Amino acid sequence: MLRSLLDHIKPHFQKEGRLAKLYPLYEAADTLFYTPVAVTACDSHIREHSDLKRVMICVYIAVVPCILMALYNTGLQANNIIAASGTIPSGWRYQLISLLGAAHNPASLWDNCLLGALFFLPITIVTYVVGIFWEVVFASVRGHEINEGFFITGILFPLILPPGTPLWQVAVAISFGVVIGKEIFGGTGKNFLNPALTARAFLFFAYPAQISGDSVWTALDGYSGATILANAASGANEYGATWLQAFLGTIPGSMGETSTLACLVGALVLLVTGTGSWRIMLSVCLGMLAIALMFNMVGSETNPMFSMTPAWHLVSGGFAFGTVYMATDPVTGAMTQSGKWFYGFLIGAMTVLIRVINPAYPEGMMLAILFANCFAPLIDYMVLQKNKQRRLARSGC
């Protein structure tokens, strides 16, 4: 029945049809339920055996642990504050919780996940609505199909945002990420910057007081404190949380970035399905380890960040999330096998350099990945040239 309906209305969306400009919307609905008409009939010319839909599904499955942790931990941090203060804030979220008969018990999984969902879902919905709007606009103007690639950006972007981010800032940032970070370069597959991180970088520089990472991010207004990285930079004896709490993710922070354990589960899914590059993940960690140990050995009497150990770098900020989900982006990362080692090492090393040398940017992972994105084409070019010279030397030419 659905097939018949789609076939019946198809002429209206084709050339000369009254709704020809909206063909990308029709094509998106059709391919959502059915295999596209145009498929490769012979050996494909792509350089990766996975198609975009398979990659997208694998990433979605891999990111589920971080989504669940975002729901639970966002609510947990807010309910901890409510329980300590004894005051329930005003607002539609808390009225809805009351109507549903829920409470603000930090020990309750349901209470925490429900409150967390009321912060996570609006940001996610705004991200998808605004992002897909721009995808449809550019697809209609250029006359091509809507690419599914945005569905990955649309789920990763809310996870790297603080829970209290105003929805208008979400809309502006994702517009910047999609239009400036991707579409002006030709769309999915042609962009050299990660769109989700481009959107996050826009917020970082446009609204530094709210998203620089100096203060903890909770879902409640009026509550502030220092993050692990800010505590480390200030020379505090305690980082505000134990290493185990930081590893599990029961600390304030961006909604999906806090749990290293959840990221490791996601990394396992990406590696088993062959979606994520183990070379990039491993080399990011090696780069972080090498530079962090170097700073530990050098030491400093004026900069406490020199003494921050690799174990703390691993569980702080967005290091684990960026390593697993952002650095392994197949579009913006290095393509060659040797290049992936250099690319990943550069990200890990740059992250620690930014955190230690310039405490004004306590969260260095985002800037390090965007920096490496810019150099990925050059890294691949140098690797290919080196391979070419090696083969010419072997052949005696």
Side-chain angles (χ1 to χ4, degrees), residues 2-21:
L2 179 59
R3 182 68 268 171
S4 299
L5 175 62
L6 290 171
D7 289 340
H8 178 71
I9 64 175
K10 185 176 181 179
H12 298 296
F13 293 91
Q14 292 179 318
K15 288 183 179 178
E16 310 301 332
R18 290 178 300 175
L19 303 175
K21 285 290 185 183

Side-chain angles (χ1 to χ4, degrees), residues 288-299 306 310 352-353 357:
M288 178 272 288
L289 180 66
I291 303 302
L293 287 177
M294 182 192 74
F295 280 127
N296 289 169
M297 288 188 292
V298 172
F306 274 65
V352 179
L353 278 174
I357 300 300

Side-chain angles (χ1 to χ4, degrees), residues 41-106:
C42 57
D43 293 339
S44 59
H45 51 272
I46 58 176
R47 53 187 166 186
E48 174 61 48
H49 66 280
S50 302
D51 60 21
L52 185 58
K53 285 187 177 179
R54 179 176 180 273
V55 171
M56 186 175 67
I57 292 171
C58 291
V59 175
Y60 256 102
I61 295 173
V63 86
V64 166
C66 291
I67 294 175
L68 296 177
M69 195 61 199
L71 300 180
Y72 172 74
N73 187 57
T74 300
L76 173 66
Q77 299 305 320
N79 283 333
N80 276 334
I81 298 172
I82 293 173
S85 65
T87 303
I88 299 176
S90 58
W92 66 270
R93 294 183 178 88
Y94 306 97
Q95 293 175 353
L96 182 58
I97 287 175
S98 178
L99 289 174
L100 294 174
H104 296 281
N105 180 8

Side-chain angles (χ1 to χ4, degrees), residues 64-80 105-121 159 163 219 245 248-256 258-259 262:
V64 166
C66 291
I67 294 175
L68 296 177
M69 195 61 199
L71 300 180
Y72 172 74
N73 187 57
T74 300
L76 173 66
Q77 299 305 320
N79 283 333
N80 276 334
N105 180 8
S108 169
L109 178 65
W110 167 248
D111 289 350
N112 293 334
C113 289
L114 178 60
L115 181 55
L118 294 179
F119 282 93
F120 180 75
L121 291 179
L159 292 172
Q245 287 175 319
L248 295 176
T250 54
I251 56 174
S254 294
M255 288 187 284
T258 60
S259 176

Side-chain angles (χ1 to χ4, degrees), residues 220-364:
L220 298 181
D221 293 334
Y223 182 81
S224 63
T227 63
I228 289 176
L229 291 169
N231 276 321
S234 67
N237 293 326
E238 302 291 340
Y239 289 164
T242 65
W243 187 89
L244 182 60
Q245 287 175 319
F247 178 75
L248 295 176
T250 54
I251 56 174
S254 294
M255 288 187 284
E257 288 185 343
T258 60
S259 176
T260 303
L261 176 61
C263 294
L264 289 177
V265 175
L268 183 62
V269 174
L270 293 178
L271 295 178
V272 169
T273 58
T275 305
S277 169
W278 64 269
R279 291 178 178 83
I280 292 179
M281 294 186 201
L282 179 58
S283 56
V284 170
C285 295
L286 291 176
M288 178 272 288
L289 180 66
I291 303 302
L293 287 177
M294 182 192 74
F295 280 127
N296 289 169
M297 288 188 292
V298 172
S300 172
E301 296 182 356
T302 58
N303 188 343
M305 286 298 291
F306 274 65
S307 61
M308 192 172 192
T309 64
W312 273 106
H313 278 292
L314 176 66
V315 298
S316 302
F319 184 85
F321 191 90
T323 300
V324 174
Y325 301 105
M326 297 298 190
T328 56
D329 181 354
V331 175
T332 57
M335 298 289 184
T336 57
Q337 302 297 354
S338 299
K340 290 176 180 176
W341 288 104
F342 292 105
Y343 172 77
F345 193 91
L346 177 62
I347 291 174
M350 283 295 299
T351 299
V352 179
L353 278 174
I354 294 171
R355 287 179 173 181
V356 175
I357 300 300
N358 191 346
Y361 300 105
E363 177 45 78

Side-chain angles (χ1 to χ4, degrees), residues 339-394:
K340 290 176 180 176
W341 288 104
F342 292 105
Y343 172 77
F345 193 91
L346 177 62
I347 291 174
M350 283 295 299
T351 299
V352 179
L353 278 174
I354 294 171
R355 287 179 173 181
V356 175
I357 300 300
N358 191 346
Y361 300 105
E363 177 45 78
M365 194 64 181
M366 171 192 69
L367 297 177
I369 294 176
L370 290 175
F371 181 81
N373 285 166
C374 298
F375 280 86
L378 178 61
I379 293 173
D380 282 336
Y381 175 78
M382 294 177 67
V383 169
L384 292 175
Q385 290 301 311
K386 191 67 178 177
N387 289 341
K388 182 180 175 182
Q389 292 173 5
R390 192 181 301 115
R391 290 177 181 175
L392 288 173
R394 271 204 306 265

Side-chain angles (χ1 to χ4, degrees), residues 93 119 122-124 126-127 157 161-174 203 207 209-211 217-218 221 255:
R93 294 183 178 88
F119 282 93
I123 291 178
T124 304
V126 169
T127 299
F157 182 59
L161 289 181
T165 306
L167 297 182
W168 68 268
Q169 286 187 8
V170 176
V172 172
I174 197 61
L203 285 179
Y207 309 99
Q210 300 173 17
I211 201 169
W217 292 314
T218 67
D221 293 334
M255 288 187 284

